[in-house]
Structure formats: structure tokens, C-alpha cells
């Protein structure tokens, strides 16, 4: 059994802390690694290494930084199956699914860092009478990146690309529930010592990392409750923060769409990665004109999501990350049934090893139920029938969480009306659509801070203006 180490200043080091925790394979419940629970001293050393390395990294030409990061992305793409297998062992994601996501993340990383080549880090504008103003974008210094457990490799790459390309260095703290793939990701990096650093642990590492006065920016992905704490600490230190927090994403299914095809798309949006995606479809509102056909098709598709170990090529639905997460899913189903919901398929924990839960479709749900209000993060598809598209939009907006939303409609006017949903991203007729040009900021309690395209570079840099007047003739 491997004991994980921290990466500090280019060297893998044992923790200075005394506490450890087990990393559990959610399919077998076997211990796969021993992880440090974190210590302030680990964080102090990692931040110090990042601060020390940052001036030299920022001094490199942008093209050289981009070239080195691009080579890393190519290496990650080559190792995507290996990284996906590690993610499977630590949090259960099927290897085939993980390989695809990691490969796509590596390609997006390359695209995003290449944008640094055209970003105006240094731009001079001529003024009157021979004066000029130079607009500079300075890197913030050392950044803290705290990553959630469900997509450790893609989320790490997505957060650090613009930060590194802009001349910052980073200290990464992966979730204590899935730390191994992030560690392997950094083993593949060929960057100057201290450019990327990693500390393992839970809040014993996260709290001192956020509170370190030398950190210029915190990029945090996690729960609303933890995000509020991060925001408070960053605000007290007057440090910038980007927070991507919980979601309770709706999908509105309009009359006039193909019920079977749309049900298949919604099933994937609700059940992929066992529903453990920040933008999983967690509330489904279907027009009554096609409700019966849609629900029947959704139940049929749910039956094809076979449960199993994610290393088995036939597995579609892997386990939940741990027993704690499965208990949340079971509680939401039990609460819904107690309040009058109907289980159309699934809805029961399985016996034996592993934290498995079947693809579950619920009908007769209402707004009083936990499953329609609290983030589930599990393979549940609760369906509410609505009388009109407008009612569906209104129901979709009934939440303090506004990460993403999806609408399926053939009506051009309804496509435009979908823009009213308060969310950072609204997909119309294609879940997870779009490319590197997308810019978004979560709405409501789902977070703060715009990301994507040039907004990510704006967040990773501090603007300054240098005005120069001409010298007077002697």
C-alpha cells in the first residue's frame, strides 16, 4: 500500500503531519493508498516554494511557458487511460468514461494556454502630444487551487492552465477522497521546480492554504458551505477568489421534441459518472403532452445502465465515491417516497461490496422533497410534469443554485426564452455543449468569479497602467 507524498519545490516529500487516512476503492472497499491528512507546515513549505519559483517562471517569454505547458498536455493525453484507471480506483468513475474526459481536458488545456499568446499582457496606447499609456497585466503570484473529488484530473487542468500561462505558480490541494490521480498528474509535469506544488489533506491542509497571506488567488471547487468559508477568509485577506460551488441543475423538456431521443440524452445527463458531476441533471420538468412517452423511455434507458466495477468494459454505472455519498442518495429517495413520490425503477441499495446505487427514476415529485431542493450528486432522475413550457422555466428558476441548466425544445421562441433561466451556462438541445470560447459565472449560491476564455486570464492577472508624458525640450 502506497503512502502518498507532497510535491514541494520539485521534490516529493513526506508530510510533517502525524495524521493519515485511507483512500478506499469504492467498488471493492479495499484500501488503495494511505494519504496524509495535512498540516500547516506542509502548506507553509509548499507556498514558500511557489512564491520563490514565481518570479523566474513569470520572467520566461510567454511562448516558452505555453510550449512547456503544451508538452505537458500532450503527455497527459498519452497517459489518459492510466490516469482514468487511477480515478476509477479512488472514486469509481468507469475507465472508459474517465479516459474520454481526461483526453478532452488535455486538449482544452492546450487550447486555453495557447490563448496566452494573444492575450494583451503588455499593450501601449498612444496619447495626445506624444504621451502614451502602457496597459500591463501582472500575474498575481502564487495561487491556491483546491479541487473536488469527482473529476480530479480534468478539474485540476481546467483551473491551472490560465494561471500558469499567465505567469503564476500554484499550490494544488486535491480532495482527500481522490488524491492519487492528481499526484500522478503532477509526476508527468516537466516544469521548473516550484511551479506546481501539491499538498495532500483535508481541512487541515485546506484551511491554512486559504489563510496564507502569500497566496494571491484561491480557486476553489466544492460545497456551498465550504465555499462560504473560503470566500470569508479570502475577503478578510483582500485576496481574489474563484468559487465553483453546488448545483441543482434543471432540465426543461418541451412539447414537440422526440420523447425517446430526449429521454436518452437526459438519462446520460442524470446518470453519467453515477450523477457525480457538478452539472448533472438533477431536476427534470417535462411537458404533459409528451410526459408519458418520455417517462417510459427514460425508465427503459435507465435499465440499460448496468452497475459494476469501472475497470470492466461492460460497466456503464460505477459506484458512488463512498458510503457517505450513497447515504445521501438513499436519504433523498426515502424522503421523496415518504412524501408521495413513485419509484419507477431503481431506488434500492444493493447488497455486497461496493458503494453502488442503481439508476433511479422518480415521478410524482414536488417542491417539498429534498430531491428537488438539495444537491444529490447521485444517479437519480426526478421528473415533474408541467402544463406548459413557461411553467417549466418558472420551476427551473426555483433555486438558490445557478450553475447550469438544459432545455430541449424545437420552438425558436422557446430557445430564446431559455435565456431567462438564472444560471452560468444554459445549454439548448445539447448537454455539455460549447467550446473554449465560453465564458460564465455561476449564479446565486453556486459561486462567484467568471472563468473561460479571456475572462480566465483577467482573473489570473492584475491590471496596471503606466502613463508616460514626453520630456520637455531642454
Amino acid at each position: 500500500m502506497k503512502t502518498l507524498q507532497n510535491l514541494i519545490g520539485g521534490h516529493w516529500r513526506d508530510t510533517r503531519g502525524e495524521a493519515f487516512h485511507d483512500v478506499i476503492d469504492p467498488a471493492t472497499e479495499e484500501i488503495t493508498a494511505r494519504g496524509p491528512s495535512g498540516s500547516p507546515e506542509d502548506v507553509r513549505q509548499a507556498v514558500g516554494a511557489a512564491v520563490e519559483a514565481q518570479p523566474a517562471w513569470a520572467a520566461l517569454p510567454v511562448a516558452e511557458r505555453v510550449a512547456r505547458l503544451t508538452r505537458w498536455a500532450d503527455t497527459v493525453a498519452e497517459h489518459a487511460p492510466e490516469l482514468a484507471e487511477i480515478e476509477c480506483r479512488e472514486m469509481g468513475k468507469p475507465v472508459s468514461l474517465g479516459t474520454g474526459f481526461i483526453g478532452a481536458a488535455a486538449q482544452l488545456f492546450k487550447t486555453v494556454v495557447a490563448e496566452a499568446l494573444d492575450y494583451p499582457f503588455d499593450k501601449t496606447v498612444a496619447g495626445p502630444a506624444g504621451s502614451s499609456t502602457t496597459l500591463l497585466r501582472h500575474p498575481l503570484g502564487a495561487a491556491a487551487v483546491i479541487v473536488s473529488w469527482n473529476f480530479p484530473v480534468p478539474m485540476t487542468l481546467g483551473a491551472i492552465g490560465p494561471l500558469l500561462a499567465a505567469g503564476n505558480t500554484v499550490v494544488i490541494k486535491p480532495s482527500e477522497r481522490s488524491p492519487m490521480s492528481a499526484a500522478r498528474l503532477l509526476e508527468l509535469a516537466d516544469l521548473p521546480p516550484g511551479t506546481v506544488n501539491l499538498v495532500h489533506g483535508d481541512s487541515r491542509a485546506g484551511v491554512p492554504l486559504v489563510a496564507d497571506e502569500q497566496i494571491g488567488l484561491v480557486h476553489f471547487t466544492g460545497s456551498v458551505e465550504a465555499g462560504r468559508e473560503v470566500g470569508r477568509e479570502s475577503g478578510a485577506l483582500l485576496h481574489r477568489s474563484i468559487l465553483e460551488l453546488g448545483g441543482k441543475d434543471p432540465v426543461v423538456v418541451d412539447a414537440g421534441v422526440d420523447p425517446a431521443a430526449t429521454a436518452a440524452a437526459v438519462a446520460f445527463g442524470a446518470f453519467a459518472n453515477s450523477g457525480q458531476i457538478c452539472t448533472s441533471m438533477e431536476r427534470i420538468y417535462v411537458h404533459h403532452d409528451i410526459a408519458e412517452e418520455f417517462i417510459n423511455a427514460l425508465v427503459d434507458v435507465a435499465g440499460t445502465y448496468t452497475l459494476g466495477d469501472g475497470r470492466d468494459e461492460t460497466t456503464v454505472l460505477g459506484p458512488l465515491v463512498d458510503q457517505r455519498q450513497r447515504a445521501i442518495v438513499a436519504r433523498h429517495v426515502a424522503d421523496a417516497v415518504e412524501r408521495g413520490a413513485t419509484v419507477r425503477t431503481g431506488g434500492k441499495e444493493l447488497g455486497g461490496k461496493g458503494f453502488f446505487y442503481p439508476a433511479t427514476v422518480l415521478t410524482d415529485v414536488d417542491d417539498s422533497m429534498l430531491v428537488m431542493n438539495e444537491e444529490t450528486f447521485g444517479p437519480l432522475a426526478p421528473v415533474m410534469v408541467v402544463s406548459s413550457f413557461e411553467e417549466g422555466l418558472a420551476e427551473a428558476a426555483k433555486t438558490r443554485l445557478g450553475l447550469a441548466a438544459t432545455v430541449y425544445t424545437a420552438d425558436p421562441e422557446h430557445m430564446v426564452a431559455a435565456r431567462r433561466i438564472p444560471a452560468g451556462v444554459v445549454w439548448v438541445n445539447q448537454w455539455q455543449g460549447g467550446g473554449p470560447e465560453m465564458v460564465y459565472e455561476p449564479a446565486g449560491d453556486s459561486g462567484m468569479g467568471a472563468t473561460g476564455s479571456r475572462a480566465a486570464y483577467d482573473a489570473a492577472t492584475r491590471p496596471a497602467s503606466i502613463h508616460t508624458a514626453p520630456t520637455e525640450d531642454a
Side-chain angles (χ1 to χ4, degrees):
M1 181 177 63
K2 181 178 182 180
T3 298
L4 301 177
Q5 294 178 302
N6 299 316
L7 177 62
I8 299 174
H11 302 285
W12 291 96
R13 303 179 183 177
D14 292 335
T15 180
R16 294 295 186 94
E18 298 181 352
F20 293 84
H21 64 274
D22 294 331
V23 181
I24 306 296
D25 185 325
T28 65
E29 300 187 43
E30 297 174 349
I31 299 172
T32 63
R34 184 169 177 256
S37 297
S39 80
E41 180 60 19
D42 293 341
V43 170
R44 186 191 67 79
Q45 290 185 357
V47 173
V51 170
E52 182 179 355
Q54 193 272 328
W57 175 248
L60 292 176
V62 174
E64 184 172 344
R65 292 201 300 265
V66 169
R68 299 195 69 160
L69 294 171
T70 298
R71 287 196 295 271
W72 183 21
D74 288 337
T75 302
V76 171
E78 292 171 5
H79 289 262
E82 174 197 353
L83 290 163
E85 196 276 336
I86 298 172
E87 283 192 343
C88 179
R89 283 193 284 125
E90 63 190 358
M91 59 74 56
K93 186 187 292 101
V95 172
S96 58
L97 184 69
T99 300
F101 272 108
I102 292 169
Q107 181 57 51
L108 181 60
F109 181 90
K110 290 174 60 174
T111 301
V112 169
V113 300
E115 291 188 12
L117 298 172
D118 297 321
Y119 186 75
F121 291 106
D122 186 333
K123 178 182 179 181
T124 299
V125 179
S131 66
S132 66
T133 299
T134 300
L135 310 175
L136 301 177
R137 301 291 308 199
H138 296 290
L140 300 174
V145 176
I146 300 177
V147 183
S148 65
W149 51 263
N150 56 328
F151 281 88
V153 172
M155 283 187 172
T156 300
L157 290 173
I160 67 177
L163 290 170
L164 292 172
N168 302 284
T169 52
V170 295
V171 178
I172 300 163
K173 192 202 82 65
S175 169
E176 68 277 11
R177 295 159 97 173
S178 57
M180 299 187 299
S181 56
R184 179 58 179 145
L185 173 67
L186 296 198
E187 287 178 351
L188 298 173
D190 181 19
L191 300 174
T195 306
V196 292
N197 305 272
L198 180 143
V199 289
H200 291 290
D202 50 28
S203 60
R204 283 166 280 194
V207 170
L209 180 57
V210 171
D212 194 296
E213 293 184 352
Q214 297 184 93
I215 290 295
L217 174 144
V218 177
H219 191 296
F220 174 84
T221 306
S223 69
V224 174
E225 293 74 18
R228 290 186 191 280
E229 292 297 324
V230 171
R232 274 191 284 268
E233 189 65 47
S234 297
L237 293 170
L238 300 180
H239 290 170
R240 193 173 300 181
S241 59
I242 298 173
L243 309 176
E244 183 175 313
L245 310 179
K248 192 67 183 174
D249 291 3
V251 53
V252 180
V253 180
D254 197 7
V257 301
D258 184 318
T262 306
V266 170
F268 185 71
F271 304 142
N273 197 33
S274 297
Q276 298 173 125
I277 301 176
C278 300
T279 56
S280 288
M281 297 177 180
E282 294 212 357
R283 296 178 293 139
I284 303 165
Y285 303 101
V286 58
H287 197 289
H288 69 84
D289 286 358
I290 63 166
E292 183 176 357
E293 290 180 83
F294 173 85
I295 292 170
N296 289 338
L298 184 61
V299 170
D300 290 341
V301 176
T304 68
Y305 277 71
T306 54
L307 285 162
D309 189 319
R311 284 154 288 205
D312 186 332
E313 293 182 357
T314 65
T315 293
V316 180
L317 203 66
L320 294 164
V321 65
D322 55 24
Q323 176 56 31
R324 177 174 36 145
Q325 192 60 37
R326 184 169 66 174
I328 292 172
V329 176
R331 179 167 61 88
H332 281 197
V333 172
D335 172 81
V337 171
E338 183 178 338
R339 295 174 185 271
T342 301
V343 177
R344 297 293 298 269
T345 187
K348 293 182 179 179
E349 293 187 36
L350 306 179
K353 291 287 187 180
F355 309 119
F356 294 98
Y357 202 92
T360 299
V361 177
L362 302 173
T363 56
D364 304 311
V365 297
D366 60 47
D367 292 336
S368 72
M369 301 171 183
L370 295 176
V371 75
M372 299 301 283
N373 291 282
E374 295 183 3
E375 187 172 36
T376 304
F377 238 55
L380 302 188
V383 183
M384 179 184 292
V385 179
V386 293
S387 60
S388 66
F389 181 77
E390 283 296 325
E391 183 185 355
L393 291 185
E395 290 290 341
K398 285 184 178 180
T399 177
R400 284 288 304 161
L401 299 173
L403 192 56
T406 308
V407 170
Y408 290 94
T409 181
D411 187 323
E413 292 185 3
H414 291 178
M415 294 178 190
V416 175
R419 301 175 185 180
R420 301 203 307 264
I421 299 176
V425 178
V426 177
W427 290 295
V428 179
N429 294 329
Q430 182 188 5
W431 184 62
Q432 298 289 338
E437 72 282 354
M438 294 180 67
V439 178
Y440 76 95
E441 181 171 10
D445 290 348
S446 285
M448 59 180 286
T451 57
S453 192
R454 290 205 169 187
Y457 284 92
D458 291 345
T461 56
R462 175 181 61 82
S465 294
I466 312 298
H467 180 74
T468 303
T471 57
E472 296 183 4
D473 294 335

